[in-house]
Every structure is written in structure tokens, then in C-alpha cells.
Amino acid sequence: MPATDTGSTPGAALELAPGLAPEPTVSYQLRVDGARHQVHGAWLGASLLSVLRDTLDLTTVKDACEQGRCGSCSVLLDGRLVASCTVLAADAEDAEVTSVAGLRPSGPARAVAAAFVREGAVQCGYCTPGMVVAVTDLLARRPDADDGEVREALSGNICRCTGYGRILAAVRAVQDERAGR
Amino acid sequence: MTGVATMRRPRSLSEAIDTLAASPGADLLAGGTDLVPALRTGARPVREMISLRRIVELRARGAAGDWLTIGACATYADLAGWSLAPGLAATARSVGSPQIRNTGTVGGALGTASPRGDLLTFLVAADAGVVVTGPVGQRQLGIGRFLADRHGPDELVTAVKLARPCGPQTYLKIGARQTASIPVASCALVVDRVRRLVRCAIGGVASRPVRALAAEDHVAETADWSTGALPPDAAHRFGELVAEAVTTAPDVAGDDVYAPAAYRSHAAGVLARRAAARCLAGARGADARRP
């Protein structure tokens, strides 16, 4: 995980906006995994990641670098893969947010999750929710993606345990399975 | 600015301009890839914000006559496969990660104007025009002028204009890793086989991308423009001149945690030589003429 220059711990967003009195706050609705959530009095500067985890307690979305570099907080925003730490939560008001928990069961998500477990692509597991979102996004668009495309599509999701070999094997297993090979 | 900061989310450009006129100097939020992490760390305070995300007209891109126009809210992903602008597409594809390319925008790259910004370096080499719009209408600035003067507090960047490519273009960079890594040095090379010139910009080495003018002139004089080939010794000299341009840039970056200054200028020269090998290889490059 890349170090942040603040030396801060994840989840401490509200303590890190010094010198602002009163704190600008805002209330809005978010649609996450098909459900509407009311957010009351959140800090205006809060990222989608911090509101999902700290306000709505949706902790399947993981928090690591908070700089848009590690991919552990990946979600779909109106169907596009994004790092939720780079999205302003208050600006996602009219968007559809999809976390790993809300991926369509009719798509490749279940097969991806099962293959990750079967192929040993999950070790500490912290990158896994973001990885599964990214792999599902890729295979929904490009079911026959070749090795280079898979690597490029996952280049924004950092895993510090597996060395990626088992993750690539899991993606190939899903591709084979879905192609009836 | 008085009172507690709020966010406005206009639905059209005209509404955005009115909103900005009412709170000049407000932070403009496009993709958020720079601003949101900076709010999180406290590097930037929460100020009045205007989100541009809902303004569909700012995402348009198109070609008319000799010009390509790219809306300020076009994302890198929107540009990564654009066949009319291969150099821009290659640059966009090299930015960040899929997540960042789906989020970050052209206008955001100009607003942040990071000296290491991939897109900014390419736009300098392409001699792009920047369209800014305010209450009295729109005006176009050259990229150099835009970086020096920026825009007024009641204006926003609405589009970027590029000449249609008239020859090969490339963008190369060196960093800790290819993805989501800030380049230590980068090189954009744009060849214009019709006007028989090249433009070369180096990113990551100074407070803004550096144009290597003497190196450009050297190529213009030594290339065989009937074939688009640069002789090997001229390509070597091109690299040396680019490295020199970096060393003598007025506000060149010193040694920092990413690299010593000497490594940067060396790397810039190597990248420039590689870029020349790709773009000025002769007949092979001829198929990259005006489409």
C-alpha cells in the first residue's frame, strides 16, 4: 500500500480538515446496490469511499491508499469502474453506485468470486472486493480478453499477496468456464 | 468568500457560467481524481464548489475541417480509442489506471496543470488551443499562454482544440511502474510532415512541460522530408539537444525523492531518441500521414 504523506489512518476523514469552522456539511441521497440511502449532515469534502464505509457502514468497499492508486475501493459508478476515493460523495447523488455486493447475479460476478476462492486468488483478501468488481467489469465487456488485456484491465488494482499469478489463473478459469471449455 | 462552502451542480454550460459568476474563483469539480484526494488529506480546503459532471455538452468531442475539438469533461477513457487523434489516444491510454481513465478529464488535467501530467505534456507538444468561457463569451488561448496566465476567476475551460495529425505522434514516459505512477520524465513528439517540422515537449522536469526548440529545429533541418526519415546521427543529436533543453530550462526541477535532476535530463534525452525512432523511421511512418 502506498504511504500517504499525512501518516493518517483510514477512516479518519472528519478529523483531517483543519481550520474549517463551521464544517461545511450537506445532506443527500445515494443509490447503492439498488437501495436508496439518506446521508445526513456529511462533510461536504467527503469521498464516496468514506461515506460508503463510515456513514453507511458498507464495509465491503475497502479503504487503503485514498489516492486513487490501489483500486481496493473500486466500485461501478453508472456502470463505469472507478476508485470511490476519487469521487466526491455529494456529487454522486444522482448516480447508481454498485459495489461487489450489488453486481448482477446474471453477469460473471458469481463465477468470478467462486474462481477466486477455488484458484487461490484470495490470500489476505483486502484487494479482493475491488478485484472482483474490476474483473467482472472487464469480462462483461470483453469476455474473450487476452492475457495482455486482462493485465491492463487489472493494472489499477494492487495485490500485495498473490503476485497476481493466481488472480490471472482465476480470470482464465472463468473465461474457460463461460466459453464451455 | 463568506459563509459555509456549498456545492452547486449545474445542468448546462450557461447555468455553470451564471453559477461561477455568482461565486468567482470557486473550485471546479470535474472527475475529482486530483481534488477529492487533496480534500481528504487537507492539502486543499473545502471551498465553494461547482460540479461539472452533469453538463453533457462538455463531454462532446468532434472533428471539423482541420481541427479536433475535445470537450473539457471528456474522460481519458473517452479519448483512449479515438482513431482521429492517435497521439492523444496513446497519451490518454497511458494515464493512471482504468479507474482513473474512467474518471479524470481533459479539463481537470488543465485545471490541475501538474508539471508531470501526461496529457498536459502532450498538449504542449501538440501546440493545443484552450477554449475558456465566461460571462462575456469564449476565447481561445495557446497552451503556453494558458499555462502562464491561466483563466479569469469567472471563466472555465470548456474545450481543447488540436490540429488534425499530419504525421506520426507518440508519448513515452519513465516511472516507477507503468500504471498509476507519476512519470519521472516523459516525452511527447508530434511530427508534421506537411509543414516539415516536429514539436517535442518534456514533462516532469520543470514547473511546466518544456519545449525543446533547438532540438525541434535540428530535426526540421536534418530529416529527409520526402520519406519522413531522420538519419541515425541526427536522431542521436536530437536526444542530446533535448537533454540540454531540460538542463537549461528556466525553472528546472532539482533532485527530489523521485529522481536526481541529472537522471531526469538523461532520461529525457533517451526518451526523445526513442520517440524519434518511432516517429521518424522513414517510409514505415508514411502510413501515418493525414487520414
Side-chain angles (χ1 to χ4, degrees), chain A residues 6 8-9 16 22 24 43-45 47 66 68-69 74 80-83 85-88 90-95 152-153 155-157, chain B residues 4-5 7 9 29 31-32 36-37 39-42 46 49 51 53-54 75 77 93 97-103 177 179-180 182:
Chain A
T6 57
S8 59
T9 51
L16 282 171
W43 179 49
L44 175 58
S47 68
E66 299 194 324
R69 292 194 190 188
S74 296
R80 289 165 79 92
L81 183 71
V82 304
C85 70
T86 67
V87 175
L88 198 77
D91 197 30
E93 182 169 20
D94 41 18
E152 187 172 356
S155 60
N157 292 76
Chain B
V4 181
M7 180 172 59
R9 307 181 70 225
L29 174 65
V36 175
L39 296 175
R40 161 70 177 84
T41 62
V46 178
M49 275 188 281
S51 162
R53 202 165 72 81
R54 298 203 292 186
T75 64
R93 194 177 156 191
S97 60
Q99 287 87 337
I100 298 300
R101 292 195 288 278
N102 280 339
T103 317
R177 70 196 277 267
T179 294
I182 294 161

Tab-separated table of all heavy atoms in Angstrom, chain A residues 6 8-9 16 22 24 43-45 47 66 68-69 74 80-83 85-88 90-95 152-153 155-157, chain B residues 4-5 7 9 29 31-32 36-37 39-42 46 49 51 53-54 75 77 93 97-103 177 179-180 182:
chain	number	residue	atom	x	y	z
A	6	THR	N	0.295	12.077	4.990
A	6	THR	CA	-0.254	12.605	6.230
A	6	THR	C	0.002	11.666	7.400
A	6	THR	O	-0.200	12.043	8.546
A	6	THR	CB	-1.765	12.778	6.121
A	6	THR	OG1	-2.318	11.510	5.778
A	6	THR	CG2	-2.128	13.791	5.059
A	8	SER	N	-1.829	9.333	8.133
A	8	SER	CA	-3.142	9.184	8.751
A	8	SER	C	-3.601	7.736	8.687
A	8	SER	O	-3.076	6.939	7.931
A	8	SER	CB	-4.138	10.052	8.005
A	8	SER	OG	-4.174	9.654	6.650
A	9	THR	N	-4.585	7.420	9.488
A	9	THR	CA	-5.175	6.099	9.416
A	9	THR	C	-6.451	6.172	8.604
A	9	THR	O	-7.135	7.195	8.600
A	9	THR	CB	-5.528	5.592	10.836
A	9	THR	OG1	-6.282	6.615	11.482
A	9	THR	CG2	-4.286	5.299	11.629
A	16	LEU	N	-9.511	15.435	9.488
A	16	LEU	CA	-8.388	15.890	8.689
A	16	LEU	C	-8.670	17.147	7.885
A	16	LEU	O	-8.035	17.399	6.897
A	16	LEU	CB	-7.951	14.770	7.755
A	16	LEU	CG	-7.131	13.700	8.449
A	16	LEU	CD1	-6.910	12.527	7.526
A	16	LEU	CD2	-5.814	14.267	8.931
A	22	PRO	N	-17.549	26.959	10.640
A	22	PRO	CA	-18.068	25.604	10.831
A	22	PRO	C	-17.772	24.715	9.628
A	22	PRO	O	-17.553	25.211	8.555
A	22	PRO	CB	-19.570	25.848	10.944
A	22	PRO	CG	-19.821	27.065	10.114
A	22	PRO	CD	-18.594	27.916	10.234
A	24	PRO	N	-18.385	22.648	6.516
A	24	PRO	CA	-19.479	22.617	5.556
A	24	PRO	C	-20.045	21.201	5.455
A	24	PRO	O	-19.295	20.257	5.232
A	24	PRO	CB	-18.822	23.045	4.243
A	24	PRO	CG	-17.366	22.807	4.428
A	24	PRO	CD	-17.065	22.808	5.887
A	43	TRP	N	-19.777	15.652	5.821
A	43	TRP	CA	-18.805	16.676	5.444
A	43	TRP	C	-18.841	16.828	3.923
A	43	TRP	O	-18.802	15.834	3.193
A	43	TRP	CB	-17.421	16.244	5.918
A	43	TRP	CG	-16.317	17.197	5.580
A	43	TRP	CD1	-16.313	18.539	5.791
A	43	TRP	CD2	-15.071	16.872	4.951
A	43	TRP	NE1	-15.123	19.073	5.348
A	43	TRP	CE2	-14.340	18.082	4.825
A	43	TRP	CE3	-14.487	15.686	4.489
A	43	TRP	CZ2	-13.072	18.135	4.252
A	43	TRP	CZ3	-13.222	15.735	3.931
A	43	TRP	CH2	-12.519	16.953	3.818
A	44	LEU	N	-18.899	18.047	3.459
A	44	LEU	CA	-19.017	18.290	2.021
A	44	LEU	C	-17.844	17.695	1.241
A	44	LEU	O	-17.999	17.241	0.112
A	44	LEU	CB	-19.119	19.805	1.763
A	44	LEU	CG	-19.140	20.253	0.304
A	44	LEU	CD1	-20.290	19.622	-0.467
A	44	LEU	CD2	-19.224	21.777	0.221
A	45	GLY	N	-16.665	17.671	1.848
A	45	GLY	CA	-15.482	17.187	1.144
A	45	GLY	C	-15.319	15.673	1.163
A	45	GLY	O	-14.328	15.160	0.647
A	47	SER	N	-15.265	11.792	0.461
A	47	SER	CA	-15.260	10.966	-0.745
A	47	SER	C	-16.393	9.949	-0.664
A	47	SER	O	-16.902	9.632	0.425
A	47	SER	CB	-13.928	10.236	-0.872
A	47	SER	OG	-13.813	9.271	0.157
A	66	GLU	N	-6.383	5.763	-0.619
A	66	GLU	CA	-7.122	7.036	-0.674
A	66	GLU	C	-6.497	8.043	-1.626
A	66	GLU	O	-6.630	9.244	-1.452
A	66	GLU	CB	-7.294	7.633	0.723
A	66	GLU	CG	-8.085	6.699	1.618
A	66	GLU	CD	-8.574	7.354	2.887
A	66	GLU	OE1	-7.850	8.191	3.426
A	66	GLU	OE2	-9.683	7.008	3.321
A	68	GLY	N	-6.441	7.014	-5.149
A	68	GLY	CA	-6.818	6.521	-6.466
A	68	GLY	C	-5.784	5.630	-7.107
A	68	GLY	O	-5.773	5.464	-8.317
A	69	ARG	N	-4.903	5.025	-6.301
A	69	ARG	CA	-3.821	4.255	-6.902
A	69	ARG	C	-3.922	2.759	-6.687
A	69	ARG	O	-3.279	2.007	-7.397
A	69	ARG	CB	-2.477	4.708	-6.323
A	69	ARG	CG	-2.130	6.104	-6.744
A	69	ARG	CD	-0.682	6.349	-6.438
A	69	ARG	NE	-0.365	7.755	-6.603
A	69	ARG	CZ	0.874	8.227	-6.541
A	69	ARG	NH1	1.858	7.403	-6.314
A	69	ARG	NH2	1.093	9.501	-6.693
A	74	SER	N	-12.597	0.054	-5.491
A	74	SER	CA	-13.272	0.094	-6.796
A	74	SER	C	-14.754	-0.223	-6.686
A	74	SER	O	-15.159	-1.183	-6.021
A	74	SER	CB	-12.620	-0.924	-7.751
A	74	SER	OG	-11.283	-0.570	-8.008
A	80	ARG	N	-19.537	2.392	-14.746
A	80	ARG	CA	-18.121	2.555	-15.094
A	80	ARG	C	-17.257	2.316	-13.868
A	80	ARG	O	-17.567	2.815	-12.779
A	80	ARG	CB	-17.858	3.969	-15.631
A	80	ARG	CG	-18.448	4.178	-17.014
A	80	ARG	CD	-18.482	5.653	-17.349
A	80	ARG	NE	-17.193	6.159	-17.783
A	80	ARG	CZ	-16.816	6.199	-19.061
A	80	ARG	NH1	-17.603	5.751	-20.005
A	80	ARG	NH2	-15.652	6.694	-19.399
A	81	LEU	N	-16.174	1.569	-14.094
A	81	LEU	CA	-15.267	1.239	-12.994
A	81	LEU	C	-14.543	2.495	-12.518
A	81	LEU	O	-13.894	3.187	-13.314
A	81	LEU	CB	-14.245	0.210	-13.492
A	81	LEU	CG	-13.244	-0.310	-12.462
A	81	LEU	CD1	-13.937	-1.225	-11.458
A	81	LEU	CD2	-12.102	-1.043	-13.162
A	82	VAL	N	-14.667	2.813	-11.232
A	82	VAL	CA	-13.981	3.985	-10.665
A	82	VAL	C	-13.395	3.616	-9.308
A	82	VAL	O	-13.784	2.629	-8.693
A	82	VAL	CB	-14.934	5.199	-10.488
A	82	VAL	CG1	-15.606	5.572	-11.807
A	82	VAL	CG2	-15.991	4.928	-9.422
A	83	ALA	N	-12.460	4.448	-8.859
A	83	ALA	CA	-11.957	4.341	-7.491
A	83	ALA	C	-12.819	5.276	-6.649
A	83	ALA	O	-12.813	6.486	-6.867
A	83	ALA	CB	-10.484	4.748	-7.437
A	85	CYS	N	-12.570	6.475	-3.861
A	85	CYS	CA	-11.871	7.503	-3.078
A	85	CYS	C	-11.626	8.771	-3.888
A	85	CYS	O	-11.246	9.794	-3.330
A	85	CYS	CB	-10.542	6.971	-2.529
A	85	CYS	SG	-9.284	6.699	-3.787
A	86	THR	N	-11.826	8.712	-5.227
A	86	THR	CA	-11.617	9.910	-6.040
A	86	THR	C	-12.936	10.572	-6.436
A	86	THR	O	-12.937	11.530	-7.201
A	86	THR	CB	-10.838	9.590	-7.337
A	86	THR	OG1	-11.655	8.768	-8.169
A	86	THR	CG2	-9.528	8.888	-7.041
A	87	VAL	N	-14.049	10.022	-5.945
A	87	VAL	CA	-15.365	10.568	-6.292
A	87	VAL	C	-15.900	11.326	-5.090
A	87	VAL	O	-15.869	10.812	-3.967
A	87	VAL	CB	-16.335	9.426	-6.674
A	87	VAL	CG1	-17.736	9.947	-6.910
A	87	VAL	CG2	-15.810	8.672	-7.894
A	88	LEU	N	-16.373	12.538	-5.295
A	88	LEU	CA	-16.980	13.288	-4.199
A	88	LEU	C	-18.370	12.708	-3.950
A	88	LEU	O	-19.202	12.658	-4.856
A	88	LEU	CB	-17.065	14.782	-4.548
A	88	LEU	CG	-17.273	15.687	-3.335
A	88	LEU	CD1	-15.960	15.857	-2.578
A	88	LEU	CD2	-17.837	17.030	-3.746
A	90	ALA	N	-21.031	13.733	-2.428
A	90	ALA	CA	-22.180	14.616	-2.662
A	90	ALA	C	-22.453	14.799	-4.149
A	90	ALA	O	-23.555	15.180	-4.545
A	90	ALA	CB	-21.925	15.970	-1.998
A	91	ASP	N	-21.445	14.511	-4.977
A	91	ASP	CA	-21.604	14.657	-6.414
A	91	ASP	C	-22.094	13.362	-7.064
A	91	ASP	O	-22.292	13.297	-8.263
A	91	ASP	CB	-20.259	15.090	-7.027
A	91	ASP	CG	-20.420	15.655	-8.434
A	91	ASP	OD1	-21.486	16.240	-8.729
A	91	ASP	OD2	-19.488	15.512	-9.239
A	92	ALA	N	-22.255	12.309	-6.248
A	92	ALA	CA	-22.731	11.024	-6.780
A	92	ALA	C	-24.221	10.872	-6.529
A	92	ALA	O	-24.768	9.781	-6.647
A	92	ALA	CB	-21.953	9.871	-6.138
A	93	GLU	N	-24.860	11.979	-6.156
A	93	GLU	CA	-26.246	11.938	-5.712
A	93	GLU	C	-27.184	11.271	-6.722
A	93	GLU	O	-28.036	10.481	-6.347
A	93	GLU	CB	-26.731	13.370	-5.438
A	93	GLU	CG	-28.139	13.394	-4.923
A	93	GLU	CD	-28.555	14.750	-4.406
A	93	GLU	OE1	-27.911	15.745	-4.791
A	93	GLU	OE2	-29.514	14.795	-3.635
A	94	ASP	N	-27.020	11.581	-8.001
A	94	ASP	CA	-27.964	11.009	-8.964
A	94	ASP	C	-27.356	9.847	-9.740
A	94	ASP	O	-27.834	9.487	-10.800
A	94	ASP	CB	-28.485	12.089	-9.913
A	94	ASP	CG	-27.378	13.025	-10.341
A	94	ASP	OD1	-26.200	12.646	-10.192
A	94	ASP	OD2	-27.680	14.139	-10.804
A	95	ALA	N	-26.303	9.265	-9.189
A	95	ALA	CA	-25.656	8.145	-9.880
A	95	ALA	C	-26.035	6.827	-9.222
A	95	ALA	O	-26.513	6.796	-8.090
A	95	ALA	CB	-24.135	8.323	-9.833
A	152	GLU	N	-3.844	-5.355	-18.283
A	152	GLU	CA	-4.065	-3.911	-18.350
A	152	GLU	C	-5.319	-3.525	-17.561
A	152	GLU	O	-5.329	-2.532	-16.838
A	152	GLU	CB	-4.182	-3.451	-19.816
A	152	GLU	CG	-4.253	-1.936	-19.921
A	152	GLU	CD	-4.178	-1.412	-21.350
A	152	GLU	OE1	-3.992	-2.215	-22.284
A	152	GLU	OE2	-4.324	-0.194	-21.520
A	153	ALA	N	-6.372	-4.343	-17.693
A	153	ALA	CA	-7.626	-4.025	-17.006
A	153	ALA	C	-7.475	-4.086	-15.491
A	153	ALA	O	-8.202	-3.407	-14.766
A	153	ALA	CB	-8.730	-4.981	-17.469
A	155	SER	N	-4.584	-3.416	-13.930
A	155	SER	CA	-3.372	-2.698	-13.526
A	155	SER	C	-3.650	-1.644	-12.460
A	155	SER	O	-2.725	-1.179	-11.794
A	155	SER	CB	-2.707	-2.061	-14.746
A	155	SER	OG	-3.591	-1.144	-15.364
A	156	GLY	N	-4.924	-1.274	-12.277
A	156	GLY	CA	-5.252	-0.304	-11.233
A	156	GLY	C	-5.653	-0.954	-9.926
A	156	GLY	O	-6.117	-0.270	-9.009
A	157	ASN	N	-5.507	-2.280	-9.842
A	157	ASN	CA	-5.855	-2.997	-8.604
A	157	ASN	C	-4.602	-3.682	-8.082
A	157	ASN	O	-4.119	-4.642	-8.680
A	157	ASN	CB	-6.943	-4.035	-8.878
A	157	ASN	CG	-8.262	-3.382	-9.232
A	157	ASN	OD1	-8.445	-2.889	-10.344
A	157	ASN	ND2	-9.171	-3.338	-8.272
B	4	VAL	N	-20.580	29.322	4.802
B	4	VAL	CA	-20.130	27.939	4.718
B	4	VAL	C	-20.128	27.507	3.254
B	4	VAL	O	-21.047	27.831	2.507
B	4	VAL	CB	-21.071	27.042	5.550
B	4	VAL	CG1	-20.620	25.596	5.493
B	4	VAL	CG2	-21.099	27.525	6.994
B	5	ALA	N	-19.083	26.806	2.868
B	5	ALA	CA	-18.965	26.358	1.479
B	5	ALA	C	-20.117	25.434	1.096
B	5	ALA	O	-20.594	24.651	1.917
B	5	ALA	CB	-17.637	25.641	1.283
B	7	MET	N	-21.914	23.189	-2.531
B	7	MET	CA	-21.636	22.707	-3.876
B	7	MET	C	-22.840	22.946	-4.773
B	7	MET	O	-23.970	22.694	-4.372
B	7	MET	CB	-21.309	21.215	-3.882
B	7	MET	CG	-21.017	20.739	-5.301
B	7	MET	SD	-20.405	19.070	-5.388
B	7	MET	CE	-21.738	18.215	-4.633
B	9	ARG	N	-24.482	22.153	-8.640
B	9	ARG	CA	-24.367	21.121	-9.677
B	9	ARG	C	-25.171	21.528	-10.905
B	9	ARG	O	-26.239	20.984	-11.175
B	9	ARG	CB	-24.843	19.777	-9.133
B	9	ARG	CG	-24.144	19.391	-7.832
B	9	ARG	CD	-24.607	18.059	-7.306
B	9	ARG	NE	-24.139	16.988	-8.130
B	9	ARG	CZ	-24.899	15.959	-8.534
B	9	ARG	NH1	-26.159	15.876	-8.175
B	9	ARG	NH2	-24.395	15.019	-9.298
B	29	LEU	N	-15.183	21.194	-10.004
B	29	LEU	CA	-15.031	19.751	-9.805
B	29	LEU	C	-15.428	19.037	-11.088
B	29	LEU	O	-16.567	19.126	-11.523
B	29	LEU	CB	-15.920	19.292	-8.645
B	29	LEU	CG	-15.990	17.780	-8.401
B	29	LEU	CD1	-14.643	17.226	-7.971
B	29	LEU	CD2	-17.060	17.460	-7.363
B	31	GLY	N	-13.681	15.359	-12.827
B	31	GLY	CA	-13.617	13.950	-12.418
B	31	GLY	C	-13.393	13.794	-10.931
B	31	GLY	O	-13.898	12.876	-10.305
B	32	GLY	N	-12.591	14.681	-10.358
B	32	GLY	CA	-12.321	14.615	-8.919
B	32	GLY	C	-11.055	13.864	-8.567
B	32	GLY	O	-10.688	13.778	-7.391
B	36	VAL	N	-10.471	15.432	-4.996
B	36	VAL	CA	-11.062	14.685	-3.867
B	36	VAL	C	-9.983	14.128	-2.918
B	36	VAL	O	-10.074	14.330	-1.706
B	36	VAL	CB	-12.047	13.605	-4.373
B	36	VAL	CG1	-12.572	12.751	-3.225
B	36	VAL	CG2	-13.211	14.274	-5.111
B	37	PRO	N	-8.917	13.472	-3.444
B	37	PRO	CA	-7.852	13.058	-2.505
B	37	PRO	C	-7.191	14.246	-1.796
B	37	PRO	O	-6.775	14.127	-0.635
B	37	PRO	CB	-6.856	12.314	-3.407
B	37	PRO	CG	-7.689	11.812	-4.546
B	37	PRO	CD	-8.705	12.902	-4.786
B	39	LEU	N	-8.696	17.021	-0.852
B	39	LEU	CA	-9.600	17.420	0.231
B	39	LEU	C	-9.425	16.467	1.411
B	39	LEU	O	-9.427	16.876	2.579
B	39	LEU	CB	-11.058	17.395	-0.240
B	39	LEU	CG	-11.454	18.370	-1.360
B	39	LEU	CD1	-12.905	18.132	-1.779
B	39	LEU	CD2	-11.268	19.820	-0.917
B	40	ARG	N	-9.271	15.193	1.084
B	40	ARG	CA	-9.136	14.167	2.115
B	40	ARG	C	-7.907	14.414	2.995
B	40	ARG	O	-7.968	14.307	4.211
B	40	ARG	CB	-9.032	12.801	1.428
B	40	ARG	CG	-8.459	11.683	2.267
B	40	ARG	CD	-9.433	11.277	3.366
B	40	ARG	NE	-8.910	10.152	4.130
B	40	ARG	CZ	-8.067	10.261	5.151
B	40	ARG	NH1	-7.628	11.438	5.513
B	40	ARG	NH2	-7.672	9.189	5.792
B	41	THR	N	-6.784	14.752	2.370
B	41	THR	CA	-5.564	14.941	3.154
B	41	THR	C	-5.498	16.334	3.766
B	41	THR	O	-4.631	16.603	4.589
B	41	THR	CB	-4.303	14.767	2.284
B	41	THR	OG1	-4.315	15.777	1.264
B	41	THR	CG2	-4.246	13.396	1.643
B	42	GLY	N	-6.376	17.233	3.337
B	42	GLY	CA	-6.305	18.602	3.820
B	42	GLY	C	-5.341	19.457	2.999
B	42	GLY	O	-5.119	20.619	3.319
B	46	VAL	N	-11.866	22.756	1.766
B	46	VAL	CA	-13.167	22.718	1.102
B	46	VAL	C	-13.613	24.149	0.884
B	46	VAL	O	-13.735	24.926	1.839
B	46	VAL	CB	-14.209	21.973	1.947
B	46	VAL	CG1	-15.564	22.004	1.256
B	46	VAL	CG2	-13.773	20.543	2.169
B	49	MET	N	-17.807	24.939	-4.315
B	49	MET	CA	-17.511	24.017	-5.421
B	49	MET	C	-18.622	24.039	-6.459
B	49	MET	O	-19.801	24.146	-6.106
B	49	MET	CB	-17.374	22.580	-4.893
B	49	MET	CG	-15.999	22.233	-4.382
B	49	MET	SD	-15.849	20.474	-4.011
B	49	MET	CE	-16.653	20.401	-2.417
B	51	SER	N	-19.761	21.535	-9.464
B	51	SER	CA	-19.535	20.266	-10.154
B	51	SER	C	-19.945	20.387	-11.613
B	51	SER	O	-21.021	20.919	-11.925
B	51	SER	CB	-20.351	19.158	-9.482
B	51	SER	OG	-20.446	18.060	-10.376
B	53	ARG	N	-20.102	17.665	-13.577
B	53	ARG	CA	-20.375	16.293	-14.008
B	53	ARG	C	-21.673	16.145	-14.796
B	53	ARG	O	-21.803	15.254	-15.633
B	53	ARG	CB	-20.419	15.375	-12.776
B	53	ARG	CG	-20.164	13.922	-13.080
B	53	ARG	CD	-19.859	13.152	-11.817
B	53	ARG	NE	-21.018	12.975	-10.982
B	53	ARG	CZ	-21.940	12.030	-11.179
B	53	ARG	NH1	-21.806	11.186	-12.165
B	53	ARG	NH2	-22.985	11.926	-10.385
B	54	ARG	N	-22.637	17.005	-14.506
B	54	ARG	CA	-23.942	16.825	-15.168
B	54	ARG	C	-24.054	17.571	-16.497
B	54	ARG	O	-25.094	17.541	-17.140
B	54	ARG	CB	-25.055	17.278	-14.225
B	54	ARG	CG	-25.098	16.444	-12.948
B	54	ARG	CD	-26.427	16.483	-12.297
B	54	ARG	NE	-26.733	17.813	-11.756
B	54	ARG	CZ	-27.818	18.067	-11.033
B	54	ARG	NH1	-28.684	17.115	-10.779
B	54	ARG	NH2	-28.033	19.269	-10.573
B	75	THR	N	-13.450	12.225	-20.713
B	75	THR	CA	-12.520	11.496	-19.839
B	75	THR	C	-11.378	10.912	-20.681
B	75	THR	O	-11.476	10.827	-21.909
B	75	THR	CB	-13.226	10.338	-19.116
B	75	THR	OG1	-13.673	9.401	-20.100
B	75	THR	CG2	-14.412	10.835	-18.296
B	77	ALA	N	-10.704	7.860	-20.807
B	77	ALA	CA	-11.257	6.664	-21.454
B	77	ALA	C	-11.983	7.040	-22.744
B	77	ALA	O	-11.950	6.294	-23.720
B	77	ALA	CB	-12.205	5.940	-20.497
B	93	ARG	N	-4.271	6.694	-22.964
B	93	ARG	CA	-4.208	5.302	-22.529
B	93	ARG	C	-3.109	5.078	-21.497
B	93	ARG	O	-3.162	4.131	-20.705
B	93	ARG	CB	-3.979	4.400	-23.747
B	93	ARG	CG	-4.248	2.953	-23.432
B	93	ARG	CD	-4.095	2.090	-24.640
B	93	ARG	NE	-3.789	0.726	-24.205
B	93	ARG	CZ	-3.391	-0.228	-25.010
B	93	ARG	NH1	-3.250	0.004	-26.290
B	93	ARG	NH2	-3.138	-1.420	-24.541
B	97	SER	N	-4.806	4.518	-14.261
B	97	SER	CA	-5.272	3.144	-14.322
B	97	SER	C	-6.640	3.186	-14.993
B	97	SER	O	-7.161	4.271	-15.242
B	97	SER	CB	-5.418	2.614	-12.892
B	97	SER	OG	-6.370	3.422	-12.209
B	98	PRO	N	-7.243	2.026	-15.281
B	98	PRO	CA	-8.597	2.074	-15.855
B	98	PRO	C	-9.553	2.936	-15.012
B	98	PRO	O	-10.342	3.705	-15.558
B	98	PRO	CB	-9.031	0.607	-15.857
B	98	PRO	CG	-7.756	-0.161	-15.967
B	98	PRO	CD	-6.733	0.644	-15.197
B	99	GLN	N	-9.439	2.814	-13.694
B	99	GLN	CA	-10.331	3.583	-12.816
B	99	GLN	C	-10.120	5.084	-13.012
B	99	GLN	O	-11.085	5.858	-13.069
B	99	GLN	CB	-10.051	3.226	-11.348
B	99	GLN	CG	-10.539	1.849	-10.913
B	99	GLN	CD	-9.534	0.737	-11.164
B	99	GLN	OE1	-8.659	0.846	-12.016
B	99	GLN	NE2	-9.669	-0.358	-10.432
B	100	ILE	N	-8.860	5.505	-13.092
B	100	ILE	CA	-8.567	6.932	-13.263
B	100	ILE	C	-8.971	7.392	-14.658
B	100	ILE	O	-9.518	8.484	-14.830
B	100	ILE	CB	-7.058	7.203	-13.019
B	100	ILE	CG1	-6.671	6.830	-11.585
B	100	ILE	CG2	-6.702	8.655	-13.319
B	100	ILE	CD1	-7.392	7.583	-10.501
B	101	ARG	N	-8.732	6.556	-15.664
B	101	ARG	CA	-9.099	6.953	-17.028
B	101	ARG	C	-10.608	7.088	-17.199
B	101	ARG	O	-11.080	7.862	-18.012
B	101	ARG	CB	-8.547	5.942	-18.045
B	101	ARG	CG	-7.041	5.972	-18.132
B	101	ARG	CD	-6.545	5.260	-19.365
B	101	ARG	NE	-6.678	3.819	-19.314
B	101	ARG	CZ	-5.820	2.992	-18.716
B	101	ARG	NH1	-4.765	3.483	-18.099
B	101	ARG	NH2	-6.005	1.692	-18.747
B	102	ASN	N	-11.368	6.315	-16.418
B	102	ASN	CA	-12.830	6.417	-16.480
B	102	ASN	C	-13.335	7.676	-15.784
B	102	ASN	O	-14.514	8.012	-15.905
B	102	ASN	CB	-13.480	5.214	-15.795
B	102	ASN	CG	-13.502	3.994	-16.690
B	102	ASN	OD1	-13.400	4.117	-17.902
B	102	ASN	ND2	-13.650	2.824	-16.086
B	103	THR	N	-12.494	8.332	-15.001
B	103	THR	CA	-12.939	9.418	-14.131
B	103	THR	C	-12.310	10.751	-14.520
B	103	THR	O	-13.001	11.758	-14.647
B	103	THR	CB	-12.573	9.086	-12.659
B	103	THR	OG1	-12.861	7.724	-12.387
B	103	THR	CG2	-13.356	9.957	-11.695
B	177	ARG	N	6.423	2.451	-12.075
B	177	ARG	CA	5.728	1.406	-12.823
B	177	ARG	C	4.878	2.117	-13.862
B	177	ARG	O	4.681	3.324	-13.802
B	177	ARG	CB	4.911	0.488	-11.894
B	177	ARG	CG	3.683	1.083	-11.251
B	177	ARG	CD	3.178	0.234	-10.082
B	177	ARG	NE	2.326	-0.890	-10.453
B	177	ARG	CZ	0.991	-0.833	-10.505
B	177	ARG	NH1	0.350	0.294	-10.280
B	177	ARG	NH2	0.293	-1.898	-10.807
B	179	THR	N	1.683	1.921	-14.558
B	179	THR	CA	0.323	2.291	-14.212
B	179	THR	C	0.271	3.095	-12.919
B	179	THR	O	0.961	2.767	-11.960
B	179	THR	CB	-0.516	1.012	-14.043
B	179	THR	OG1	-0.612	0.394	-15.307
B	179	THR	CG2	-1.903	1.324	-13.533
B	180	ALA	N	-0.568	4.110	-12.904
B	180	ALA	CA	-0.846	4.878	-11.690
B	180	ALA	C	0.431	5.311	-11.005
B	180	ALA	O	0.549	5.277	-9.786
B	180	ALA	CB	-1.734	4.069	-10.736
B	182	ILE	N	3.490	8.336	-11.095
B	182	ILE	CA	3.818	9.648	-11.631
B	182	ILE	C	5.096	9.539	-12.457
B	182	ILE	O	6.089	8.998	-11.976
B	182	ILE	CB	4.022	10.633	-10.462
B	182	ILE	CG1	2.686	10.828	-9.748
B	182	ILE	CG2	4.577	11.957	-10.944
B	182	ILE	CD1	2.833	11.380	-8.353
